[in-house]
Each structure stands twice: as structure tokens, then as C-alpha cells.
Amino acid sequence: MDLWPILRDIVVLLGACLLVGGLFSRFRQSPIMGYLLAGMLLGGPGSIQLVGSEQPIEAIAELGVALLLFSLGLEFSIERLKKLGAKPLLGGAAQVVLTILLAFAGASLIGLSVKPALAFGAMVSLSSTAVVLRILMERGEMEMPHGRNSLGVLLTQDMAVVPLALMMTVLGGEGSVGEIASNVGRLLVMASGLVIGLYLLTKVAVLALGTLTLHRNRELTVLFAVVTGLGAAWASHSIGISPALGAFVAGMLLGSSAFATQIRADISPLQVVLLTLFFGAAGMVADPIWILTNWYIVGSVVIALTIGKLLVIWATFLAFGQSTRVAVATGLCLAQIGEFAFVLGSIGRSSGVVTEATYALVVSIAIVSFFLSAFLVPAAPRIGNWIAGLVQSQQLAPESEAELQEPPDVAIIGFGPAGQIAARPLIDKGLRVVVIELNRNGIRKAKQLGFHGEIGDATQSEVLEHARLHECKAVVITVPHHKSAITILEHVRKNAPNTHVIVRSRYEIHTGSFVTAGAHAVAGDEEQVGESLANHLVGWLDSTDSSEA
């Protein structure tokens, strides 16, 4: 392999992504659209053929997705991942199965036989980890309910890649039942060994780094991050599972270490470069001339799959007891065809179950759905609110449906540690307090304190109306996520203009936006921490001066 032509192509592709992505960003659109368009124009079929190293660039670009998942894993330690709960993971499994069945039925109706129809269903069942997580992280929405749901579903889909790849092989008639069962068993053993190996290696590496003076040798954390993230991706690929999933596991194992924040910062520049390459390489896979020639087919299939996946995910999460707003927002985030469609399609082509025409269609609808997702994912919470308002179907628990006999005096929205501390002075005052919280544990604690609890998503105005918030004298908003808190505050000011509103601000930078939105008082986490540190320091200095005297 001659390195210099590949390097030239990488530089040209990144330069084009910079220019076109910057142009889209200038008009307040996602730069991802620019990266995809740059790849479509410069390389691959139907382009001007200025970039010719499609396969090497694509292989390098896949590392960007691995580093994205590695970085995300650093934020989601094992303890934090447990807080996601089983619903997103179970919802992901249900979504994959239901999407395959619906896509199979649709493909059968247009004339595909059983095996090609099943292969088509497998290819379109997965969503795009790179597109969805990139946009959610840019917008700071990973902590919102639809963000957590999307993460859980995408992780489940990454785990589903292996059985789907085996299914594509079986559909092609390769391998007996015994051979397939043996391969599955070997894969499970090797995956378990990989997790154990990564756990031991991360523990040893953290201990070794702890003995070094990292403030003098900052390059050591950079090297450690790259070796761990890319090494986990390579090891996962070697045993036949998703490289991105292996990188996520490695990041998650490191997430509880003291080095997690610094490692995440150190790999960020490399992650940006490789992810940009990924989107450019993804654009190079598509044939713009084929898409334009068959625009009516591509458009019809994209619309059908987008609506179909939205409805499947919406119904799935409604069945798991989540609100319409969250279920719809999750469905909109995941209503596209993912990059693993290319991988499954390649396997299907080699085994003979996927024709060239089907592969071209799947690649085309995947690229078009990437463009569409650049609009749908940012708008998901807004559209979710709008649809929830239309159908009037917030998911409230049976015990929260009983109306308060008398109007509440105080409403506390969000009953985590901050909400519980704020509620302490109200316990013995004989005030009627209503707590609105999505977490059942928070509602249980509220009832133990003698408060009335309502399970609901406070970003929906209907939930606030049901809790009779307009009759409250005061409202305390403790939700940590800034955009969610702003939405709740706007609903409160609209429905209860005379109510006194106190808002928790996780970061000092958001205080002004809360005041502008109508908060009477803002309590900042950073300010409270600073005061606590100052009080402790003053106390320590006073005690030191007294002992010296």
C-alpha cells in the first residue's frame, strides 16, 4: 500500500469537509450534512473522482466511531450505566425484532422472496450510532430521557450486529446448524474473555498511571487513551464483535477512575478528525447519480422506514410506561438506517442473498436518512412535545391519577438529592406539597415524607396542569438538565404567571437565561460548592491560627 496517495486523499477529503461543513454550520445546519455531501461529490461512484482511496479511508474512519463510543463509555461508568435501567436495552431488542418483521413484510409485498426480504429487514433494522450520539452530545441531550433511551437502544443494536451477520450468512446457505452453533458458542466465550481481559488491563494501567507524575508527562494520558480505546476496538474486531461496542466497554471500565475526565479531553481532537473522516467516507459510498435517477423509489422507502421505525419505537417505549413525549423523541432520534447496513450488506452480497440493486438501494436510503436525521434529532424534543399535546396521552401511574382534595401550596419538580434537601423545611410546616418526578423511587420518598407524588414528565404542560400547578404559591424546579429546566420554567410562567418560582442552575453560566425566562430566584450548584469550600477553608484557617496562638 502506497501511503502518500492515501494521505493526499485524506487531506483533500478533510479540507472539503471543513469548507462544506463550515458552510452548513454558517447557516445553522448540522455540519454532518456538509461532511456527507463533500464525500458524495469527491469520491465513490457518480462523483468527480477526486478522492480514490475509498476502502482505506473507510477503514481508518471506523476508528472515529470506536473513539466516540470509548469517550461516551468514559462518561457512563458501570454504576451510571445501571441507572439507565433495563427498559432502553429491552426496548432496543424489541425494536430490532419488530423492525425486521415489518421490513420483511414490506419487502415481501413488493416482490422479494423470503431470504432477500429477511436480509433487507436485517439491514434496515439498525440505527446510526455515529450520527445520533454525535448530535445528542453536541446538543448536551445525553442526560435527557430520550438521550438515555437512544443510548440504550444503540448499545443493544451494536450487540445485535453479530447475530444479524450470522443470519445473513445462514440466509446465503453457508454453514450447517452445528457449525453456526459452534461459532456462536466460541464467540460468547471470546467476548467474555475480552471483557475480563479489558477489566484487568484497565486496572493495571490505572495503577501504573497513578505512580507517574501526569502533570509533568501529559503525553502519557494521551498515549494511554489511544492505546486503550483503539486497542479495545482492534481486540473486539479480532474476535468478531462490534469494534465500537468493545471500545465502549473499555471506556466504561475506566469511567470510574480518576483519569476519566482527562482521558476524555485528550482523545477529543483525534475523535473529531476520525469522525469527520467517517462521515466523509460514508458519503463516498453513495452514488448521487443513482439516487437522483431513482429518487421516487429512494424517497418512498426513506419515508416508509422513517415513519415505520418511529411508530415501532414509539409503541415500544409506551408499552414500557414512558410518556408520549419521550417515546416520540426517542423514535425520531433513531428513525434512520445505520452505518452497519453497509457491513451487513457486504456480507449479504458475498453470500449471494443481497443483489447489487438491493445493496445500492439500502446504501442510498441510509445516506438520505443521515441527511434527514440532521434535522430530526435536534427537533425531536420539540416534535415530541407537539405530538404529546395532540394525543393528550401522558403516561401517569395509577396512584398519581387521584386529584388533590385541596390545591397544593408548593410544587417541587424533580425529587433527587437537591429536591429532597429543598423539601426539608416544608415537612413540619403543614403545607400541601406536590412532587412531580419521572423516577418512582423519588415519588416513593416524597410519599414517605407525607407529600403528594405525581409520576410524569414536567416538560409537558399537561402534566403540570394535572398537578394543579397554577394554584401553587411557589414552585421549585430542581431538574439538572438546563434545556429541560428552561422548558418547565416557560410552561410554569405561562400557566401560573403569579407563582413564585425558584430554579436550580447546575452551572453559573445558565443563571442569566433562567432569570430572563422568569425565575424569581436561582440557586447555583457552583456557587453553593464555592461557599461550602470557602466556609471550610475559613474554619480551618481560624482553627490553625488559634492553635498557633
Side-chain angles (χ1 to χ4, degrees), residues 360-414:
L361 176 62
V362 170
V363 167
S364 299
I365 61 178
I367 295 299
V368 173
S369 71
F370 284 2
F371 279 103
L372 191 59
S373 294
F375 294 100
L376 290 181
V377 176
R382 255 190 344 269
I383 297 175
N385 275 332
W386 177 68
I387 293 179
L390 289 179
V391 300
Q392 297 287 318
S393 61
Q394 65 273 15
Q395 298 295 317
L396 296 173
E399 64 265 24
S400 67
E401 291 178 354
E403 295 284 350
L404 287 168
Q405 296 299 317
E406 296 184 57
D409 296 306
V410 179
I412 300 177
I413 302 174

Side-chain angles (χ1 to χ4, degrees), residues 29 50 75 86 114 127 159 173-174 246 255 258-259 265-266 275 292 301 307 345 348 369 403 423 448 508 515 519 521:
Q29 302 300 318
L50 189 59
E75 296 187 27
V114 174
S127 305
M159 289 186 277
E174 298 180 7
F259 306 102
D266 287 335
L275 265 182
L292 291 174
V301 176
I307 295 175
S369 71
E403 295 284 350
Q448 289 172 354
E508 187 70 24
V515 173

